[in-house]
Amino acid sequence: MNEVLLNLEDICFAYDGIVALRHVSFNVKRGETMVLQGSNGCGKSTLLKLINGLVYAEQGSYTFDGQVIDEKALKNSSFSKNFHQRIGFVFQNPDVMLFCNNVRDEIAFGPTQMGYDSETVEKRVNDLLAALDIERLAERAPYQLSGGEKKRVALASVLSMNPEVLVLDEPLAGLDRRTQDWLIDFLQALQGAGKTIIISTHDDELAHLLGDRILYMNEDHSVNYIL
Ligand SMILES: Nc1ncnc2c1ncn2[C@@H]1O[C@H](COP(=O)(O)OP(=O)(O)OP(=O)(O)O)[C@@H](O)[C@H]1O
Ligand SMILES: [Mg+2]
């Protein structure tokens, strides 16, 4: 577990002058689980967005599997498509990622785009509907669901693509205890299978349970320490 998969060096980022990341440097090795912790507003979600190529560093560099990820690289549509298939992101707010007419289509979207045949896609969708206990929601419109239901659908829609790297922003937030327990077991199984996982959480128990390393951010948006 020594091969560096993601490497961030001296990353700085601000939203129209509002600083969110200050000289952030760290790496994530293949097969490792890295947990981000820190107080509200310290920059965890921004860092995860940057890792997923949704915002770009103003200073510093980010490489994924040795390739520079910046605005120029992601303008190349085949590079961008490949990158987004390798790294899956479940947002803190699932509303921004649900756009299909019903839950079944939402979960099927990713693997269909990736070119899997309809039988494989259907099996994946059914397995995830069952695993996340959302079978009864399959024909419902995602935007009408409760917060926790949306979170489950958002998780299923990313898990259905089986990405090489799984990035989860506050994955337990808004989930009931049973679903939290299921998700922790599921993530531990993925860890056992060698998946690279990056998670932000306010839950110390989860951080220590899953994290190979934990990165603590300061309120001034810099890295405090990595344990
Ligand atoms: N779209 C935006 N426009 C302007 N400022 C933003 C935007 N999103 C975040 N910020 C600011 O950037 C900083 C970092 O926000 P971020 O959402 O990354 O924090 P966080 O660590 O994820 O917080 P939380 O624990 O509350 O989820 C905060 O000061 C926030 O106010
Ligand atoms: Mg956040």
Side-chain angles (χ1 to χ4, degrees), residues 15 18-20 39-46 92 170 202 221:
Y15 296 94
I18 301 169
V19 173
S39 53
N40 290 137
C42 71
K44 303 177 297 296
S45 294
T46 306
Q92 186 165 4
E170 308 273 356
H202 291 291
H221 317 290

Side-chain angles (χ1 to χ4, degrees), residues 5-81:
L5 188 56
L6 293 89
N7 191 44
L8 291 88
E9 297 248 1
D10 199 32
I11 298 282
C12 295
F13 177 83
Y15 296 94
D16 291 328
I18 301 169
V19 173
L21 298 173
R22 205 185 287 276
H23 303 293
V24 171
S25 298
F26 70 101
N27 62 47
V28 180
K29 300 183 177 75
R30 196 183 288 280
E32 181 177 46
T33 297
M34 176 65 91
V35 177
L36 309 183
Q37 291 212 279
S39 53
N40 290 137
C42 71
K44 303 177 297 296
S45 294
T46 306
L47 190 50
L48 297 182
K49 285 181 203 162
L50 188 131
I51 284 171
N52 284 275
L54 304 176
V55 300
Y56 306 109
E58 283 159 16
Q59 183 186 315
S61 72
Y62 165 36
T63 58
F64 178 86
D65 204 9
Q67 292 172 305
V68 173
I69 303 300
D70 60 12
E71 193 167 4
K72 184 166 162 265
L74 292 179
K75 268 201 177 126
N76 178 320
S77 60
S78 66
F79 180 84
S80 172
K81 188 171 174 211

